[in-house]
Amino acid sequence: MELAYAKEDAQFRDEVRGFLDEKLTPELRRRGKLMTSVYADHETTMEWHRTLFEKGWVAPAWPVEHGGCDWSVVQHYIFASEFAAAGAPPLSPMGVGMCGPVLIGYGTQEQKDFYLPRILNGEDFWCQGYSEPGSGSDLASLQMSAVEDGDEYLCNGQKIWTTHGQYANRIFCLVRTSKEDIPQRGITFLLMDMDTPGIEVKPLIMLTGEHVQNEIFFTNARAPKRNVVGKVGDGWTVAKYLLQFERGGHAYAPGLHTRLERIRMIAGEELSGTGDRLIDDTAFAEKLAQAWSEITALEFTEHRIMSKLSHGEAPGAESSMLKTRGTELSQRLTEIALEAVAYYAVPFQPHATCPGGPVPGHEAPEGRQAHVGPDYALPVAPKYLNDRAGSIYAGSNEIQRNIMSKAVLGL
């Protein structure tokens, strides 16, 4: 078995590394490594988005004719691995990873021509209007209404857990255009402008003190009928298609491997005043080895999904497997990281002033002391708290297992 990269792949890896060395500034690296959420702050995201757009690497998994890259599966994985290892901040997935693929698959030519270039260049920043109070994992029970009024829909209702809704200028929504015999019917996929009169955004502050999520209220908000994606009343089909990209449209393993190596580095340091190292503890070393083997196994699923994406195909039921294993392994790493940093994680300050100056969104509030301890300990406790949501968002992992049991096992 030949495990070395082919010559052209090694050259591509060197190209990616060269790009990162040149364009990924020390400040961007610092912000990426100090992330406590699955998202970077908005300023960092857009700065890095513009840099990747100039290179033509914003949406490598899109079909080439729409701005994607003609890469092999190996090159896609090299790209993800090198970015994770370098600590590059991730892009917001709502436009590039979700809305874009849906428009490519279901949008009209007019919608593709207008929206896709704006997603690529960052002119449009999207948020997702799916969940509602009482309609999360049971998404088909959603109640936000869209009633025909001439060439428009009059929309009333509420969405919740809307990531980065405070920054978005557009939102893709699931709305109820009719009431049928089963709840999945009568749902429509609708695009809306966030500056539409009648749309109000209210913040939801997280346990870590961060403002990532929002509630959005719609009161007689209007949207043109031309903004329907797919067929009226068939939004459930479009939504399921999008969820495959949300759950399986990116690689978990490269980032997980990078985080695991960071924990290994921490565990290799001498414990204060003892001369011992945590890495030498057999039980702890076994936890690292078990995590490594499970992350490596996850890579094979990601290779299959990347192969589909690079050929313009949806990930299918494998996306549920990827989302389930990826989020649960991520949670496992946060637990191991807490053990590794020990008491340095206890007096965490989620908005602390970091070495070298404050990271946007992480400034210490007036009257509160910044984090004291090693740099690497700063995001550990906030990341642990934030990651508790990983097995819930994008469809709870219990729901994912139901999907796999039906789609794969036929149960």
Coordinates of all heavy atoms in Angstrom, one line a residue, residues 13 15-35 48 52 57 77-90 254-259 261-262:
R13 N -0.3 20.5 -2.1 CA -0.1 20.7 -0.6 C 0.8 21.9 -0.4 O 0.6 22.8 0.4 CB 0.4 19.5 0.1 CG 0.6 19.6 1.6 CD 1.6 18.5 2.0 NE 2.8 18.5 1.3 CZ 3.7 17.5 1.3 NH1 3.4 16.4 1.9 NH2 4.8 17.6 0.6
E15 N 1.4 24.3 -2.5 CA 0.8 25.5 -2.9 C -0.1 26.0 -1.8 O -0.1 27.3 -1.5 CB 0.0 25.3 -4.1 CG -0.8 26.5 -4.6 CD -1.7 26.2 -5.8 OE1 -1.8 25.1 -6.2 OE2 -2.4 27.2 -6.3
V16 N -0.9 25.1 -1.1 CA -1.8 25.5 -0.1 C -1.0 26.1 1.1 O -1.3 27.1 1.7 CB -2.7 24.4 0.4 CG1 -3.5 24.7 1.6 CG2 -3.6 23.9 -0.7
R17 N 0.1 25.4 1.5 CA 1.0 25.9 2.6 C 1.6 27.3 2.3 O 1.6 28.1 3.1 CB 2.0 24.9 2.9 CG 1.5 23.6 3.5 CD 2.7 22.6 3.8 NE 2.2 21.4 4.5 CZ 2.9 20.4 4.8 NH1 4.2 20.4 4.4 NH2 2.4 19.3 5.4
G18 N 2.0 27.4 1.0 CA 2.6 28.7 0.6 C 1.5 29.8 0.7 O 1.8 31.0 1.2
F19 N 0.3 29.6 0.3 CA -0.8 30.5 0.4 C -1.0 30.9 1.8 O -1.2 32.1 2.2 CB -2.0 30.0 -0.3 CG -3.3 30.8 0.0 CD1 -3.5 31.9 -0.8 CD2 -4.2 30.4 0.9 CE1 -4.6 32.7 -0.6 CE2 -5.3 31.2 1.2 CZ -5.6 32.3 0.4
L20 N -1.1 29.9 2.7 CA -1.4 30.1 4.1 C -0.2 30.9 4.8 O -0.5 31.8 5.6 CB -1.6 28.8 4.9 CG -2.9 28.1 4.5 CD1 -2.8 26.7 5.1 CD2 -4.1 28.8 5.0
D21 N 1.0 30.6 4.4 CA 2.2 31.3 5.0 C 2.1 32.8 4.6 O 2.5 33.7 5.4 CB 3.5 30.7 4.5 CG 3.8 29.4 5.1 OD1 3.2 29.1 6.2 OD2 4.6 28.6 4.5
E22 N 1.6 33.1 3.4 CA 1.6 34.5 2.9 C 0.4 35.2 3.4 O 0.5 36.4 3.8 CB 1.6 34.5 1.4 CG 1.5 35.9 0.8 CD 1.5 35.8 -0.8 OE1 1.6 34.7 -1.3 OE2 1.4 36.9 -1.4
K23 N -0.8 34.6 3.4 CA -2.1 35.3 3.6 C -2.7 35.2 5.0 O -3.4 36.0 5.4 CB -3.1 34.8 2.5 CG -2.7 35.1 1.1 CD -2.6 36.6 0.8 CE -2.3 36.8 -0.7 NZ -2.2 38.3 -1.0
L24 N -2.4 34.1 5.7 CA -2.9 33.9 7.0 C -2.0 34.6 8.0 O -1.0 34.1 8.5 CB -3.0 32.4 7.3 CG -3.8 32.0 8.6 CD1 -5.2 32.5 8.5 CD2 -3.7 30.5 8.8
T25 N -2.4 35.8 8.3 CA -1.6 36.7 9.2 C -1.6 36.1 10.6 O -2.4 35.3 11.0 CB -2.2 38.1 9.3 OG1 -3.5 38.0 9.9 CG2 -2.3 38.7 7.9
P26 N -0.6 36.5 11.4 CA -0.5 36.0 12.8 C -1.8 36.4 13.6 O -2.2 35.6 14.4 CB 0.7 36.7 13.4 CG 1.6 37.0 12.2 CD 0.7 37.2 11.0
E27 N -2.4 37.5 13.3 CA -3.6 37.9 14.0 C -4.8 37.0 13.6 O -5.6 36.5 14.5 CB -4.0 39.3 13.6 CG -5.3 39.8 14.3 CD -5.2 39.9 15.8 OE1 -4.1 39.8 16.4 OE2 -6.3 40.0 16.4
L28 N -4.9 36.6 12.3 CA -6.0 35.7 11.9 C -5.7 34.3 12.5 O -6.7 33.6 12.9 CB -6.0 35.6 10.4 CG -6.6 36.8 9.6 CD1 -6.5 36.6 8.1 CD2 -8.1 36.9 10.0
R29 N -4.5 33.9 12.6 CA -4.2 32.6 13.2 C -4.6 32.6 14.7 O -5.2 31.6 15.2 CB -2.7 32.2 13.1 CG -2.2 31.9 11.7 CD -0.7 31.7 11.7 NE -0.2 31.7 10.3 CZ 0.1 30.5 9.6 NH1 -0.2 29.4 10.2 NH2 0.6 30.6 8.4
R30 N -4.3 33.7 15.4 CA -4.6 33.8 16.8 C -6.1 33.7 17.0 O -6.6 33.0 17.9 CB -4.0 35.1 17.3 CG -4.2 35.2 18.8 CD -3.4 36.5 19.3 NE -4.0 37.7 18.8 CZ -4.9 38.4 19.5 NH1 -5.3 38.0 20.7 NH2 -5.4 39.5 19.0
R31 N -6.8 34.4 16.1 CA -8.3 34.4 16.3 C -8.9 33.1 16.0 O -9.8 32.6 16.7 CB -8.9 35.5 15.3 CG -8.5 36.9 15.6 CD -9.1 37.8 14.6 NE -8.7 39.2 14.7 CZ -9.0 40.2 13.9 NH1 -9.8 40.0 12.9 NH2 -8.6 41.4 14.1
G32 N -8.3 32.4 15.0 CA -8.8 31.0 14.7 C -8.5 30.0 15.8 O -9.4 29.2 16.2
K33 N -7.4 30.1 16.5 CA -7.0 29.2 17.5 C -7.8 29.5 18.8 O -7.9 28.6 19.7 CB -5.5 29.2 17.8 CG -4.7 28.6 16.6 CD -3.2 28.6 16.9 CE -2.5 27.9 15.7 NZ -1.0 27.9 15.9
L34 N -8.2 30.7 19.0 CA -8.9 31.1 20.2 C -10.4 31.0 20.1 O -11.2 31.5 21.0 CB -8.5 32.5 20.7 CG -7.1 32.6 21.2 CD1 -6.7 34.1 21.4 CD2 -6.9 31.8 22.4
M35 N -10.9 30.4 19.0 CA -12.4 30.3 18.8 C -13.0 29.4 19.9 O -12.4 28.4 20.3 CB -12.7 29.7 17.5 CG -12.6 30.6 16.3 SD -12.8 29.7 14.7 CE -14.2 28.7 15.1
W48 N -11.3 36.9 6.1 CA -10.7 35.7 5.5 C -11.5 35.3 4.3 O -10.9 34.8 3.3 CB -10.7 34.6 6.6 CG -10.0 33.4 6.2 CD1 -10.5 32.1 6.3 CD2 -8.7 33.2 5.7 NE1 -9.5 31.2 5.9 CE2 -8.4 31.9 5.5 CE3 -7.7 34.2 5.4 CZ2 -7.2 31.4 5.0 CZ3 -6.4 33.7 4.9 CH2 -6.2 32.3 4.7
L52 N -9.9 34.5 0.5 CA -10.1 33.3 -0.2 C -10.8 33.6 -1.6 O -10.5 32.9 -2.5 CB -10.9 32.3 0.6 CG -10.2 31.8 1.9 CD1 -11.2 30.9 2.7 CD2 -9.0 30.9 1.4
W57 N -10.8 30.4 -3.9 CA -10.9 29.2 -3.0 C -12.1 29.3 -2.0 O -12.1 28.6 -1.0 CB -9.6 28.9 -2.3 CG -8.5 28.4 -3.1 CD1 -8.6 28.0 -4.4 CD2 -7.2 28.1 -2.7 NE1 -7.4 27.5 -4.9 CE2 -6.5 27.5 -3.9 CE3 -6.5 28.2 -1.5 CZ2 -5.2 27.2 -3.8 CZ3 -5.2 27.8 -1.5 CH2 -4.5 27.3 -2.6
Y77 N -9.2 17.1 0.6 CA -8.8 16.8 1.9 C -7.5 17.5 2.4 O -7.4 17.9 3.5 CB -8.7 15.3 2.1 CG -8.8 14.8 3.5 CD1 -10.0 14.8 4.2 CD2 -7.6 14.5 4.2 CE1 -10.1 14.4 5.5 CE2 -7.7 14.2 5.6 CZ -8.9 14.1 6.2 OH -9.0 13.8 7.5
I78 N -6.6 17.6 1.4 CA -5.4 18.3 1.7 C -5.7 19.8 2.1 O -5.2 20.3 3.1 CB -4.4 18.3 0.5 CG1 -3.8 16.9 0.3 CG2 -3.3 19.3 0.7 CD1 -3.0 16.7 -0.9
F79 N -6.6 20.4 1.4 CA -7.0 21.8 1.6 C -7.6 21.9 3.0 O -7.2 22.7 3.8 CB -8.1 22.1 0.6 CG -8.6 23.5 0.7 CD1 -7.9 24.6 0.3 CD2 -9.9 23.7 1.2 CE1 -8.4 25.9 0.4 CE2 -10.4 25.0 1.3 CZ -9.6 26.1 0.9
A80 N -8.5 21.0 3.4 CA -9.1 21.0 4.7 C -8.1 20.8 5.8 O -8.1 21.4 6.9 CB -10.3 20.0 4.8
S81 N -7.2 19.8 5.6 CA -6.2 19.5 6.6 C -5.2 20.6 6.8 O -4.9 20.9 8.0 CB -5.5 18.2 6.2 OG -6.3 17.1 6.0
E82 N -4.7 21.2 5.8 CA -3.8 22.3 5.9 C -4.4 23.5 6.6 O -3.7 24.2 7.4 CB -3.2 22.6 4.6 CG -2.3 21.5 3.9 CD -1.1 21.2 4.8 OE1 -0.6 22.0 5.5 OE2 -0.7 20.0 4.8
F83 N -5.6 23.8 6.3 CA -6.3 25.0 6.9 C -6.5 24.7 8.4 O -6.3 25.6 9.2 CB -7.6 25.2 6.2 CG -7.6 26.2 5.0 CD1 -6.6 26.0 4.0 CD2 -8.4 27.3 5.0 CE1 -6.5 26.9 3.0 CE2 -8.3 28.2 3.9 CZ -7.3 28.0 2.9
A84 N -6.9 23.5 8.7 CA -7.1 23.2 10.1 C -5.8 23.3 10.9 O -5.7 23.8 12.0 CB -7.7 21.8 10.3
A85 N -4.7 22.7 10.3 CA -3.5 22.6 11.0 C -2.9 24.0 11.2 O -2.2 24.3 12.2 CB -2.5 21.8 10.2
A86 N -3.2 25.0 10.3 CA -2.7 26.3 10.3 C -3.5 27.2 11.3 O -3.1 28.3 11.6 CB -2.6 26.9 9.0
G87 N -4.6 26.7 11.7 CA -5.5 27.5 12.6 C -6.3 28.6 11.8 O -6.7 29.6 12.4
A88 N -6.6 28.3 10.6 CA -7.3 29.3 9.8 C -8.8 29.3 10.3 O -9.4 28.3 10.6 CB -7.3 28.9 8.3
P89 N -9.4 30.5 10.4 CA -10.8 30.6 10.8 C -11.7 30.1 9.8 O -11.5 30.3 8.6 CB -11.0 32.1 11.0 CG -10.0 32.8 10.1 CD -8.8 31.9 10.1
P90 N -12.8 29.4 10.2 CA -13.7 28.9 9.2 C -14.6 30.0 8.7 O -14.8 31.0 9.3 CB -14.5 27.9 10.0 CG -14.5 28.4 11.4 CD -13.1 29.1 11.6
P254 N -10.0 16.8 10.0 CA -8.8 17.6 10.0 C -8.7 18.5 11.2 O -7.7 18.6 11.9 CB -8.8 18.4 8.7 CG -9.6 17.5 7.8 CD -10.7 16.9 8.6
G255 N -9.8 19.2 11.5 CA -9.9 20.0 12.7 C -9.8 19.2 14.0 O -9.1 19.7 15.0
L256 N -10.4 18.1 14.0 CA -10.4 17.2 15.3 C -8.9 16.7 15.5 O -8.5 16.7 16.6 CB -11.3 16.1 15.1 CG -12.8 16.4 15.1 CD1 -13.6 15.2 14.8 CD2 -13.3 17.0 16.4
H257 N -8.3 16.3 14.4 CA -6.9 15.9 14.6 C -6.0 17.0 15.1 O -5.1 16.8 16.0 CB -6.3 15.4 13.2 CG -6.6 14.0 13.0 ND1 -6.2 13.0 13.8 CD2 -7.2 13.3 11.9 CE1 -6.6 11.8 13.3 NE2 -7.1 12.0 12.2
T258 N -6.2 18.2 14.6 CA -5.4 19.4 15.0 C -5.7 19.7 16.5 O -4.7 19.9 17.3 CB -5.8 20.6 14.2 OG1 -5.5 20.4 12.8 CG2 -5.0 21.9 14.7
R259 N -6.9 19.6 16.9 CA -7.3 19.9 18.3 C -6.7 18.8 19.2 O -6.2 19.0 20.3 CB -8.8 19.9 18.5 CG -9.4 21.2 17.9 CD -10.9 21.1 17.9 NE -11.5 20.8 19.1 CZ -12.8 20.4 19.3 NH1 -13.6 20.3 18.2 NH2 -13.3 20.1 20.5
E261 N -3.9 17.1 18.6 CA -2.5 17.3 18.8 C -2.2 18.4 19.7 O -1.2 18.4 20.4 CB -1.9 17.6 17.4 CG -1.8 16.4 16.5 CD -1.1 15.2 17.2 OE1 0.0 15.4 17.7 OE2 -1.6 14.1 17.2
R262 N -3.1 19.4 19.8 CA -2.9 20.5 20.7 C -3.0 20.0 22.1 O -2.3 20.4 23.0 CB -4.0 21.6 20.4 CG -3.7 23.0 21.0 CD -4.6 24.0 20.5 NE -4.4 24.2 19.0 CZ -5.4 24.5 18.2 NH1 -6.6 24.7 18.6 NH2 -5.2 24.6 16.9

